[in-house]
Amino acid sequence: MTANRAMQTKDMTVVVTGATGRTGRRVAEAARAAGLTVRPASRAHGFDWDSPAGWADVLRGADAAYLAHPADVGAPAATEAVGRLALEAVALGVRRLVLLSARGEEQAKPTEEALRVPGARWTVVRAAWFAQNFSEGPLAEELRRSGELVFPGDGVPEPFVDVRDVADVVVAALTAGDRYAEQVLEVSGPRLLTFGEAVAEVARAAGRKLAYRPVAARAYGERLAEFGLPPEEVAYLVDLFDSLLDGRNAHLSDGVRQVLGREPRDFTAYAEEAAAAGAWRAD
Ligand SMILES: NC(=O)c1ccc[n+]([C@@H]2O[C@H](COP(=O)([O-])OP(=O)(O)OC[C@H]3O[C@@H](n4cnc5c(N)ncnc54)[C@H](OP(=O)(O)O)[C@@H]3O)[C@@H](O)[C@H]2O)c1
């Protein structure tokens, strides 16, 4: 790192949305480790994607922002909010914007487009399915509690990516000046695994009997409706899983090597670390 770059990084303040979530937490950690000042922004910190009136207070005086919308990135609410926030950010001088998007997700294109407001130095990071979906969040909780993961995607290979690699790529993009401005970076893990193979790896690491039970996207949607999800959200997710898990993503992307100059973290190492931390310990 040059002295000039070190100075720029030391003086840089980044707003990290979703700072208590899977990626935001790691982006905040990696950004602090790189010497940036982090301004965490989730509801616990007074930032609400549903209350634009409060956004300026969070953005003012910052240099950059990491945007991870809590709804799926392609949901209409995400498109509208990201576009609106990007406009407000640029108007306040926060021009460096990094959006978390999803690899192979046609539905996310309008949100990516909404980020590209005049004056923004934007980067889109399109991630594969997170490895951490198996250890953090609602799917993980179901797997830990019931010993079974019920999900679409039977036999479809996916290169699950460790969210720490996503965070490292985001921070590298933030601290590399304009090197990754106006670019889309696609990141995946180093090898393809089906959901069944991934759960088998998790079971081995956890020393527990855990199973994957495939269901059709439509049947999965019916389950979500039983849990009280509104019909329009169910319809969106059925369509999303149907398309994302049709084999289009059964290939690797080299964003981690391209940006970080190293191989992505492997799923087995992730599973062993998460197991050691108690992620799948039965009640
Ligand atoms: N899961 C995957 O495999 C995958 C792959 C590629 C892309 N993505 C994208 O990842 C994004 C989600 O990111 P993530 O997985 O890092 O997040 P996450 O783990 O789902 O956590 C959501 C975060 O957003 C915050 N939040 C929730 N509602 C909020 C609101 N109304 N206003 C402000 N903050 C709110 C939460 O904190 P509080 O509750 O404290 O506010 C939390 O920090 C989605 O856009 C998804 O499309 C996911």
PDB file of all heavy atoms in Angstrom, residues 18-24 42-44 47-50 68-73 100-102 127-130 133, ligand 1:
ATOM      1  N   GLY A  18     -26.836  -3.291   7.291  1.00  0.00           N
ATOM      2  CA  GLY A  18     -26.926  -4.702   7.692  1.00  0.00           C
ATOM      3  C   GLY A  18     -25.784  -5.097   8.607  1.00  0.00           C
ATOM      4  O   GLY A  18     -25.309  -6.238   8.577  1.00  0.00           O
ATOM      5  N   ALA A  19     -25.344  -4.150   9.439  1.00  0.00           N
ATOM      6  CA  ALA A  19     -24.099  -4.347  10.206  1.00  0.00           C
ATOM      7  C   ALA A  19     -24.189  -5.446  11.252  1.00  0.00           C
ATOM      8  O   ALA A  19     -23.169  -5.839  11.817  1.00  0.00           O
ATOM      9  CB  ALA A  19     -23.688  -3.033  10.862  1.00  0.00           C
ATOM     10  N   THR A  20     -25.418  -5.937  11.517  1.00  0.00           N
ATOM     11  CA  THR A  20     -25.535  -7.055  12.461  1.00  0.00           C
ATOM     12  C   THR A  20     -25.806  -8.359  11.710  1.00  0.00           C
ATOM     13  O   THR A  20     -25.999  -9.401  12.322  1.00  0.00           O
ATOM     14  CB  THR A  20     -26.687  -6.803  13.463  1.00  0.00           C
ATOM     15  OG1 THR A  20     -27.882  -6.531  12.708  1.00  0.00           O
ATOM     16  CG2 THR A  20     -26.400  -5.621  14.365  1.00  0.00           C
ATOM     17  N   GLY A  21     -25.836  -8.293  10.370  1.00  0.00           N
ATOM     18  CA  GLY A  21     -26.194  -9.466   9.563  1.00  0.00           C
ATOM     19  C   GLY A  21     -24.976 -10.248   9.104  1.00  0.00           C
ATOM     20  O   GLY A  21     -23.840  -9.965   9.490  1.00  0.00           O
ATOM     21  N   ARG A  22     -25.244 -11.229   8.243  1.00  0.00           N
ATOM     22  CA  ARG A  22     -24.183 -12.160   7.813  1.00  0.00           C
ATOM     23  C   ARG A  22     -23.025 -11.449   7.123  1.00  0.00           C
ATOM     24  O   ARG A  22     -21.867 -11.639   7.469  1.00  0.00           O
ATOM     25  CB  ARG A  22     -24.769 -13.214   6.854  1.00  0.00           C
ATOM     26  CG  ARG A  22     -25.488 -14.322   7.566  1.00  0.00           C
ATOM     27  CD  ARG A  22     -26.163 -15.229   6.569  1.00  0.00           C
ATOM     28  NE  ARG A  22     -27.227 -14.513   5.880  1.00  0.00           N
ATOM     29  CZ  ARG A  22     -28.465 -14.966   5.724  1.00  0.00           C
ATOM     30  NH1 ARG A  22     -28.785 -16.150   6.166  1.00  0.00           N
ATOM     31  NH2 ARG A  22     -29.381 -14.254   5.099  1.00  0.00           N
ATOM     32  N   THR A  23     -23.332 -10.624   6.118  1.00  0.00           N
ATOM     33  CA  THR A  23     -22.215  -9.974   5.416  1.00  0.00           C
ATOM     34  C   THR A  23     -21.787  -8.685   6.118  1.00  0.00           C
ATOM     35  O   THR A  23     -20.590  -8.419   6.248  1.00  0.00           O
ATOM     36  CB  THR A  23     -22.573  -9.641   3.946  1.00  0.00           C
ATOM     37  OG1 THR A  23     -23.685  -8.754   3.921  1.00  0.00           O
ATOM     38  CG2 THR A  23     -22.850 -10.900   3.154  1.00  0.00           C
ATOM     39  N   GLY A  24     -22.756  -7.875   6.561  1.00  0.00           N
ATOM     40  CA  GLY A  24     -22.436  -6.562   7.124  1.00  0.00           C
ATOM     41  C   GLY A  24     -21.488  -6.671   8.319  1.00  0.00           C
ATOM     42  O   GLY A  24     -20.558  -5.868   8.461  1.00  0.00           O
ATOM     43  N   SER A  42     -27.752  -0.479  11.038  1.00  0.00           N
ATOM     44  CA  SER A  42     -28.933  -1.353  10.980  1.00  0.00           C
ATOM     45  C   SER A  42     -29.946  -0.714  11.929  1.00  0.00           C
ATOM     46  O   SER A  42     -29.692   0.373  12.456  1.00  0.00           O
ATOM     47  CB  SER A  42     -28.571  -2.793  11.365  1.00  0.00           C
ATOM     48  OG  SER A  42     -28.052  -2.824  12.664  1.00  0.00           O
ATOM     49  N   ARG A  43     -31.081  -1.356  12.131  1.00  0.00           N
ATOM     50  CA  ARG A  43     -32.097  -0.693  12.956  1.00  0.00           C
ATOM     51  C   ARG A  43     -31.589  -0.438  14.368  1.00  0.00           C
ATOM     52  O   ARG A  43     -31.913   0.579  14.983  1.00  0.00           O
ATOM     53  CB  ARG A  43     -33.385  -1.511  12.959  1.00  0.00           C
ATOM     54  CG  ARG A  43     -34.114  -1.390  11.628  1.00  0.00           C
ATOM     55  CD  ARG A  43     -35.281  -2.337  11.543  1.00  0.00           C
ATOM     56  NE  ARG A  43     -34.826  -3.724  11.643  1.00  0.00           N
ATOM     57  CZ  ARG A  43     -35.609  -4.768  11.468  1.00  0.00           C
ATOM     58  NH1 ARG A  43     -36.878  -4.590  11.186  1.00  0.00           N
ATOM     59  NH2 ARG A  43     -35.135  -5.996  11.570  1.00  0.00           N
ATOM     60  N   ALA A  44     -30.742  -1.357  14.856  1.00  0.00           N
ATOM     61  CA  ALA A  44     -30.175  -1.184  16.201  1.00  0.00           C
ATOM     62  C   ALA A  44     -29.318   0.090  16.287  1.00  0.00           C
ATOM     63  O   ALA A  44     -29.087   0.609  17.378  1.00  0.00           O
ATOM     64  CB  ALA A  44     -29.327  -2.401  16.558  1.00  0.00           C
ATOM     65  N   PHE A  47     -30.707   3.203  11.826  1.00  0.00           N
ATOM     66  CA  PHE A  47     -30.907   3.284  10.371  1.00  0.00           C
ATOM     67  C   PHE A  47     -31.986   2.289   9.979  1.00  0.00           C
ATOM     68  O   PHE A  47     -31.900   1.114  10.308  1.00  0.00           O
ATOM     69  CB  PHE A  47     -29.612   2.945   9.625  1.00  0.00           C
ATOM     70  CG  PHE A  47     -29.817   2.802   8.136  1.00  0.00           C
ATOM     71  CD1 PHE A  47     -29.892   3.921   7.321  1.00  0.00           C
ATOM     72  CD2 PHE A  47     -29.974   1.534   7.555  1.00  0.00           C
ATOM     73  CE1 PHE A  47     -30.111   3.790   5.944  1.00  0.00           C
ATOM     74  CE2 PHE A  47     -30.185   1.403   6.188  1.00  0.00           C
ATOM     75  CZ  PHE A  47     -30.252   2.528   5.381  1.00  0.00           C
ATOM     76  N   ASP A  48     -33.001   2.784   9.260  1.00  0.00           N
ATOM     77  CA  ASP A  48     -34.088   1.892   8.827  1.00  0.00           C
ATOM     78  C   ASP A  48     -34.321   2.085   7.335  1.00  0.00           C
ATOM     79  O   ASP A  48     -34.623   3.197   6.893  1.00  0.00           O
ATOM     80  CB  ASP A  48     -35.368   2.217   9.623  1.00  0.00           C
ATOM     81  CG  ASP A  48     -36.429   1.138   9.439  1.00  0.00           C
ATOM     82  OD1 ASP A  48     -36.408   0.432   8.394  1.00  0.00           O
ATOM     83  OD2 ASP A  48     -37.292   1.003  10.329  1.00  0.00           O
ATOM     84  N   TRP A  49     -34.181   1.001   6.567  1.00  0.00           N
ATOM     85  CA  TRP A  49     -34.424   1.080   5.129  1.00  0.00           C
ATOM     86  C   TRP A  49     -35.845   1.568   4.840  1.00  0.00           C
ATOM     87  O   TRP A  49     -36.113   2.102   3.765  1.00  0.00           O
ATOM     88  CB  TRP A  49     -34.239  -0.302   4.497  1.00  0.00           C
ATOM     89  CG  TRP A  49     -32.819  -0.704   4.227  1.00  0.00           C
ATOM     90  CD1 TRP A  49     -32.063  -1.579   4.945  1.00  0.00           C
ATOM     91  CD2 TRP A  49     -31.998  -0.264   3.130  1.00  0.00           C
ATOM     92  NE1 TRP A  49     -30.815  -1.709   4.368  1.00  0.00           N
ATOM     93  CE2 TRP A  49     -30.756  -0.922   3.259  1.00  0.00           C
ATOM     94  CE3 TRP A  49     -32.190   0.612   2.060  1.00  0.00           C
ATOM     95  CZ2 TRP A  49     -29.710  -0.731   2.348  1.00  0.00           C
ATOM     96  CZ3 TRP A  49     -31.146   0.801   1.158  1.00  0.00           C
ATOM     97  CH2 TRP A  49     -29.924   0.139   1.311  1.00  0.00           C
ATOM     98  N   ASP A  50     -36.763   1.363   5.779  1.00  0.00           N
ATOM     99  CA  ASP A  50     -38.158   1.757   5.551  1.00  0.00           C
ATOM    100  C   ASP A  50     -38.446   3.192   5.981  1.00  0.00           C
ATOM    101  O   ASP A  50     -39.590   3.636   5.896  1.00  0.00           O
ATOM    102  CB  ASP A  50     -39.102   0.800   6.315  1.00  0.00           C
ATOM    103  CG  ASP A  50     -38.942  -0.635   5.840  1.00  0.00           C
ATOM    104  OD1 ASP A  50     -38.657  -0.823   4.639  1.00  0.00           O
ATOM    105  OD2 ASP A  50     -39.072  -1.554   6.668  1.00  0.00           O
ATOM    106  N   ALA A  68     -26.498  -3.558   1.715  1.00  0.00           N
ATOM    107  CA  ALA A  68     -27.040  -4.924   1.695  1.00  0.00           C
ATOM    108  C   ALA A  68     -28.477  -4.803   2.154  1.00  0.00           C
ATOM    109  O   ALA A  68     -28.741  -4.570   3.339  1.00  0.00           O
ATOM    110  CB  ALA A  68     -26.253  -5.838   2.631  1.00  0.00           C
ATOM    111  N   HIS A  69     -29.418  -4.903   1.200  1.00  0.00           N
ATOM    112  CA  HIS A  69     -30.824  -4.735   1.579  1.00  0.00           C
ATOM    113  C   HIS A  69     -31.324  -6.013   2.239  1.00  0.00           C
ATOM    114  O   HIS A  69     -31.045  -7.110   1.754  1.00  0.00           O
ATOM    115  CB  HIS A  69     -31.676  -4.385   0.349  1.00  0.00           C
ATOM    116  CG  HIS A  69     -33.010  -3.823   0.728  1.00  0.00           C
ATOM    117  ND1 HIS A  69     -34.067  -4.620   1.080  1.00  0.00           N
ATOM    118  CD2 HIS A  69     -33.445  -2.545   0.863  1.00  0.00           C
ATOM    119  CE1 HIS A  69     -35.103  -3.857   1.390  1.00  0.00           C
ATOM    120  NE2 HIS A  69     -34.751  -2.588   1.261  1.00  0.00           N
ATOM    121  N   PRO A  70     -32.091  -5.881   3.327  1.00  0.00           N
ATOM    122  CA  PRO A  70     -32.495  -7.088   4.063  1.00  0.00           C
ATOM    123  C   PRO A  70     -33.501  -7.969   3.310  1.00  0.00           C
ATOM    124  O   PRO A  70     -33.549  -9.180   3.536  1.00  0.00           O
ATOM    125  CB  PRO A  70     -33.110  -6.541   5.357  1.00  0.00           C
ATOM    126  CG  PRO A  70     -33.473  -5.126   5.046  1.00  0.00           C
ATOM    127  CD  PRO A  70     -32.500  -4.659   4.015  1.00  0.00           C
ATOM    128  N   ALA A  71     -34.313  -7.350   2.423  1.00  0.00           N
ATOM    129  CA  ALA A  71     -35.173  -8.192   1.570  1.00  0.00           C
ATOM    130  C   ALA A  71     -34.258  -8.754   0.489  1.00  0.00           C
ATOM    131  O   ALA A  71     -33.106  -8.337   0.360  1.00  0.00           O
ATOM    132  CB  ALA A  71     -36.263  -7.338   0.934  1.00  0.00           C
ATOM    133  N   ASP A  72     -34.715  -9.696  -0.293  1.00  0.00           N
ATOM    134  CA  ASP A  72     -33.876 -10.146  -1.402  1.00  0.00           C
ATOM    135  C   ASP A  72     -33.530  -8.940  -2.271  1.00  0.00           C
ATOM    136  O   ASP A  72     -34.349  -8.044  -2.478  1.00  0.00           O
ATOM    137  CB  ASP A  72     -34.610 -11.190  -2.230  1.00  0.00           C
ATOM    138  CG  ASP A  72     -33.723 -11.677  -3.354  1.00  0.00           C
ATOM    139  OD1 ASP A  72     -32.833 -12.488  -3.082  1.00  0.00           O
ATOM    140  OD2 ASP A  72     -33.899 -11.183  -4.488  1.00  0.00           O
ATOM    141  N   VAL A  73     -32.294  -8.923  -2.784  1.00  0.00           N
ATOM    142  CA  VAL A  73     -31.801  -7.759  -3.543  1.00  0.00           C
ATOM    143  C   VAL A  73     -32.681  -7.433  -4.752  1.00  0.00           C
ATOM    144  O   VAL A  73     -32.757  -6.275  -5.187  1.00  0.00           O
ATOM    145  CB  VAL A  73     -30.326  -7.971  -3.950  1.00  0.00           C
ATOM    146  CG1 VAL A  73     -30.165  -9.207  -4.823  1.00  0.00           C
ATOM    147  CG2 VAL A  73     -29.751  -6.754  -4.658  1.00  0.00           C
ATOM    148  N   LEU A 100     -24.335  -5.212  -2.491  1.00  0.00           N
ATOM    149  CA  LEU A 100     -24.337  -6.672  -2.489  1.00  0.00           C
ATOM    150  C   LEU A 100     -25.483  -7.149  -3.370  1.00  0.00           C
ATOM    151  O   LEU A 100     -26.643  -6.815  -3.134  1.00  0.00           O
ATOM    152  CB  LEU A 100     -24.530  -7.206  -1.070  1.00  0.00           C
ATOM    153  CG  LEU A 100     -24.697  -8.731  -0.971  1.00  0.00           C
ATOM    154  CD1 LEU A 100     -23.429  -9.456  -1.425  1.00  0.00           C
ATOM    155  CD2 LEU A 100     -25.057  -9.140   0.445  1.00  0.00           C
ATOM    156  N   SER A 101     -25.150  -7.931  -4.401  1.00  0.00           N
ATOM    157  CA  SER A 101     -26.178  -8.501  -5.265  1.00  0.00           C
ATOM    158  C   SER A 101     -25.966 -10.012  -5.339  1.00  0.00           C
ATOM    159  O   SER A 101     -25.127 -10.557  -4.624  1.00  0.00           O
ATOM    160  CB  SER A 101     -26.113  -7.848  -6.654  1.00  0.00           C
ATOM    161  OG  SER A 101     -27.208  -8.273  -7.439  1.00  0.00           O
ATOM    162  N   ALA A 102     -26.754 -10.658  -6.177  1.00  0.00           N
ATOM    163  CA  ALA A 102     -26.714 -12.118  -6.220  1.00  0.00           C
ATOM    164  C   ALA A 102     -26.383 -12.591  -7.630  1.00  0.00           C
ATOM    165  O   ALA A 102     -26.929 -12.085  -8.618  1.00  0.00           O
ATOM    166  CB  ALA A 102     -28.047 -12.685  -5.753  1.00  0.00           C
ATOM    167  N   ALA A 127     -22.765 -12.182  -5.369  1.00  0.00           N
ATOM    168  CA  ALA A 127     -22.271 -13.343  -4.628  1.00  0.00           C
ATOM    169  C   ALA A 127     -23.055 -14.599  -4.973  1.00  0.00           C
ATOM    170  O   ALA A 127     -24.255 -14.543  -5.283  1.00  0.00           O
ATOM    171  CB  ALA A 127     -22.365 -13.077  -3.128  1.00  0.00           C
ATOM    172  N   ALA A 128     -22.361 -15.750  -4.893  1.00  0.00           N
ATOM    173  CA  ALA A 128     -23.032 -17.049  -4.948  1.00  0.00           C
ATOM    174  C   ALA A 128     -23.800 -17.241  -3.632  1.00  0.00           C
ATOM    175  O   ALA A 128     -23.757 -16.376  -2.752  1.00  0.00           O
ATOM    176  CB  ALA A 128     -21.984 -18.146  -5.121  1.00  0.00           C
ATOM    177  N   TRP A 129     -24.482 -18.372  -3.486  1.00  0.00           N
ATOM    178  CA  TRP A 129     -25.161 -18.675  -2.210  1.00  0.00           C
ATOM    179  C   TRP A 129     -24.115 -18.699  -1.111  1.00  0.00           C
ATOM    180  O   TRP A 129     -23.030 -19.247  -1.286  1.00  0.00           O
ATOM    181  CB  TRP A 129     -25.840 -20.050  -2.268  1.00  0.00           C
ATOM    182  CG  TRP A 129     -27.064 -20.063  -3.114  1.00  0.00           C
ATOM    183  CD1 TRP A 129     -27.111 -19.998  -4.473  1.00  0.00           C
ATOM    184  CD2 TRP A 129     -28.414 -20.142  -2.659  1.00  0.00           C
ATOM    185  NE1 TRP A 129     -28.416 -20.022  -4.887  1.00  0.00           N
ATOM    186  CE2 TRP A 129     -29.234 -20.126  -3.801  1.00  0.00           C
ATOM    187  CE3 TRP A 129     -29.003 -20.240  -1.389  1.00  0.00           C
ATOM    188  CZ2 TRP A 129     -30.620 -20.190  -3.727  1.00  0.00           C
ATOM    189  CZ3 TRP A 129     -30.373 -20.306  -1.318  1.00  0.00           C
ATOM    190  CH2 TRP A 129     -31.177 -20.280  -2.469  1.00  0.00           C
ATOM    191  N   PHE A 130     -24.491 -18.130   0.032  1.00  0.00           N
ATOM    192  CA  PHE A 130     -23.534 -18.083   1.134  1.00  0.00           C
ATOM    193  C   PHE A 130     -23.398 -19.455   1.804  1.00  0.00           C
ATOM    194  O   PHE A 130     -24.412 -20.099   2.108  1.00  0.00           O
ATOM    195  CB  PHE A 130     -23.993 -17.112   2.235  1.00  0.00           C
ATOM    196  CG  PHE A 130     -24.234 -15.694   1.787  1.00  0.00           C
ATOM    197  CD1 PHE A 130     -25.123 -14.891   2.490  1.00  0.00           C
ATOM    198  CD2 PHE A 130     -23.561 -15.158   0.690  1.00  0.00           C
ATOM    199  CE1 PHE A 130     -25.349 -13.583   2.104  1.00  0.00           C
ATOM    200  CE2 PHE A 130     -23.784 -13.845   0.300  1.00  0.00           C
ATOM    201  CZ  PHE A 130     -24.685 -13.060   1.007  1.00  0.00           C
ATOM    202  N   ASN A 133     -25.392 -19.608   5.018  1.00  0.00           N
ATOM    203  CA  ASN A 133     -26.829 -19.908   5.091  1.00  0.00           C
ATOM    204  C   ASN A 133     -27.080 -21.186   5.894  1.00  0.00           C
ATOM    205  O   ASN A 133     -28.164 -21.377   6.439  1.00  0.00           O
ATOM    206  CB  ASN A 133     -27.420 -20.127   3.686  1.00  0.00           C
ATOM    207  CG  ASN A 133     -27.503 -18.846   2.886  1.00  0.00           C
ATOM    208  OD1 ASN A 133     -27.597 -17.755   3.444  1.00  0.00           O
ATOM    209  ND2 ASN A 133     -27.457 -18.968   1.566  1.00  0.00           N
TER     210      ASN A 133
HETATM  211  N1  LIG B   1     -28.152 -15.544   1.398  1.00  0.00           N
HETATM  212  C1  LIG B   1     -27.462 -15.646   0.272  1.00  0.00           C
HETATM  213  O1  LIG B   1     -26.953 -16.718  -0.073  1.00  0.00           O
HETATM  214  C2  LIG B   1     -27.255 -14.403  -0.589  1.00  0.00           C
HETATM  215  C3  LIG B   1     -26.455 -14.480  -1.725  1.00  0.00           C
HETATM  216  C4  LIG B   1     -26.258 -13.325  -2.500  1.00  0.00           C
HETATM  217  C5  LIG B   1     -26.854 -12.123  -2.117  1.00  0.00           C
HETATM  218  N2  LIG B   1     -27.653 -12.096  -0.991  1.00  0.00           N
HETATM  219  C6  LIG B   1     -28.287 -10.826  -0.601  1.00  0.00           C
HETATM  220  O2  LIG B   1     -27.866 -10.507   0.721  1.00  0.00           O
HETATM  221  C7  LIG B   1     -28.756  -9.505   1.226  1.00  0.00           C
HETATM  222  C8  LIG B   1     -28.900  -9.688   2.716  1.00  0.00           C
HETATM  223  O3  LIG B   1     -27.630  -9.512   3.310  1.00  0.00           O
HETATM  224  P1  LIG B   1     -27.148 -10.379   4.550  1.00  0.00           P
HETATM  225  O4  LIG B   1     -27.425 -11.836   4.296  1.00  0.00           O
HETATM  226  O5  LIG B   1     -25.772  -9.957   4.878  1.00  0.00           O
HETATM  227  O6  LIG B   1     -28.131  -9.848   5.687  1.00  0.00           O
HETATM  228  P2  LIG B   1     -28.873 -10.683   6.818  1.00  0.00           P
HETATM  229  O7  LIG B   1     -27.919 -11.641   7.478  1.00  0.00           O
HETATM  230  O8  LIG B   1     -30.156 -11.206   6.268  1.00  0.00           O
HETATM  231  O9  LIG B   1     -29.175  -9.560   7.882  1.00  0.00           O
HETATM  232  C9  LIG B   1     -30.039  -8.476   7.600  1.00  0.00           C
HETATM  233  C10 LIG B   1     -29.419  -7.214   8.185  1.00  0.00           C
HETATM  234  O10 LIG B   1     -30.230  -6.112   7.837  1.00  0.00           O
HETATM  235  C11 LIG B   1     -30.696  -5.462   9.022  1.00  0.00           C
HETATM  236  N3  LIG B   1     -32.077  -5.023   8.792  1.00  0.00           N
HETATM  237  C12 LIG B   1     -33.203  -5.791   8.732  1.00  0.00           C
HETATM  238  N4  LIG B   1     -34.267  -5.018   8.468  1.00  0.00           N
HETATM  239  C13 LIG B   1     -33.804  -3.738   8.357  1.00  0.00           C
HETATM  240  C14 LIG B   1     -34.413  -2.478   8.097  1.00  0.00           C
HETATM  241  N5  LIG B   1     -35.735  -2.353   7.879  1.00  0.00           N
HETATM  242  N6  LIG B   1     -33.636  -1.382   8.072  1.00  0.00           N
HETATM  243  C15 LIG B   1     -32.299  -1.468   8.319  1.00  0.00           C
HETATM  244  N7  LIG B   1     -31.663  -2.609   8.552  1.00  0.00           N
HETATM  245  C16 LIG B   1     -32.410  -3.743   8.578  1.00  0.00           C
HETATM  246  C17 LIG B   1     -30.557  -6.476  10.140  1.00  0.00           C
HETATM  247  O11 LIG B   1     -30.292  -5.873  11.367  1.00  0.00           O
HETATM  248  P3  LIG B   1     -31.430  -5.316  12.349  1.00  0.00           P
HETATM  249  O12 LIG B   1     -32.469  -6.428  12.414  1.00  0.00           O
HETATM  250  O13 LIG B   1     -30.677  -5.078  13.603  1.00  0.00           O
HETATM  251  O14 LIG B   1     -31.944  -4.067  11.733  1.00  0.00           O
HETATM  252  C18 LIG B   1     -29.303  -7.230   9.688  1.00  0.00           C
HETATM  253  O15 LIG B   1     -28.149  -6.516  10.070  1.00  0.00           O
HETATM  254  C19 LIG B   1     -30.045  -9.643   0.404  1.00  0.00           C
HETATM  255  O16 LIG B   1     -30.192  -8.487  -0.378  1.00  0.00           O
HETATM  256  C20 LIG B   1     -29.796 -10.869  -0.470  1.00  0.00           C
HETATM  257  O17 LIG B   1     -30.434 -10.779  -1.735  1.00  0.00           O
HETATM  258  C21 LIG B   1     -27.850 -13.190  -0.223  1.00  0.00           C
END
